[in-house]
Amino acid sequence: MSYNPDFAPIWTIFKLRQGQLALASAMFQDAVNNGLHHAFKTPIKPIIDEAHVVKTITAGGKQYQARRVVSTIPLNVLHTISFTPRLSPTRQQAISIGHVNYMTKIHADVKGSGLTSWNGMRYPNLLMFGFGTE
């Protein structure tokens, strides 16, 4: 997915009425209602994909099995987990680079007749871009 500059005015002005957390909670609850099994705060060591089952083994030795696994493991943590079969070279390279979202982000809501919103980002040093909306 590429960045669409035409979308910026929309996501800086319009907000979800009940917030992102309410949306995420509703999506998660819908998944649970439809059979999702989950475990939080459960460090995983290996993830093993065998024929028709995926096994995950926790740091404490507990084993989970499923036909499919949805991983929400942060990129900067994936290097602590072994995968069988090994991940593709592209994924391994991404893991070695780490998350590129280490950046300074600036967001200001301004009162008055000036800008209603101003955003800026930088990675890794100088300001990369900034924009405002009225």
Side-chain angles (χ1 to χ4, degrees):
M1 177 185 286
S2 63
Y3 171 71
N4 181 348
D6 296 336
F7 187 65
I10 295 168
W11 66 263
T12 57
I13 294 172
F14 297 100
K15 306 294 181 197
L16 295 172
R17 181 171 289 135
Q18 296 176 343
Q20 284 183 305
L21 180 58
L23 175 61
S25 296
M27 292 170 62
F28 182 79
Q29 189 58 50
D30 183 62
V32 169
N33 293 345
N34 285 287
L36 172 73
H37 297 277
H38 62 282
F40 293 115
K41 295 185 179 182
T42 308
I44 299 294
K45 286 301 173 188
I47 297 177
I48 305 160
D49 187 356
E50 299 173 336
H52 301 288
V53 67
V54 179
K55 293 181 191 175
T56 59
I57 302 172
T58 69
K62 188 168 183 179
Q63 189 173 128
Y64 294 92
Q65 295 184 43
R67 286 181 291 156
R68 294 185 179 100
V69 171
V70 176
S71 169
T72 59
I73 302 165
L75 181 59
N76 287 335
V77 177
L78 285 176
H79 72 277
T80 67
I81 299 168
S82 65
F83 290 87
T84 304
R86 290 177 52 91
L87 296 176
S88 69
T90 302
R91 287 181 175 86
Q92 290 179 41
Q93 181 182 20
I95 290 169
S96 69
I97 292 170
H99 199 292
V100 297
N101 206 18
Y102 286 127
M103 62 177 69
T104 299
K105 298 177 187 176
I106 303 167
H107 179 85
D109 289 323
V110 182
K111 291 183 180 181
S113 61
L115 298 174
T116 58
S117 181
W118 187 90
N119 287 276
M121 290 187 191
R122 70 179 187 101
Y123 172 82
N125 292 319
L126 302 175
L127 185 65
M128 184 166 41
F129 70 85
F131 64 90
T133 57
E134 293 185 53

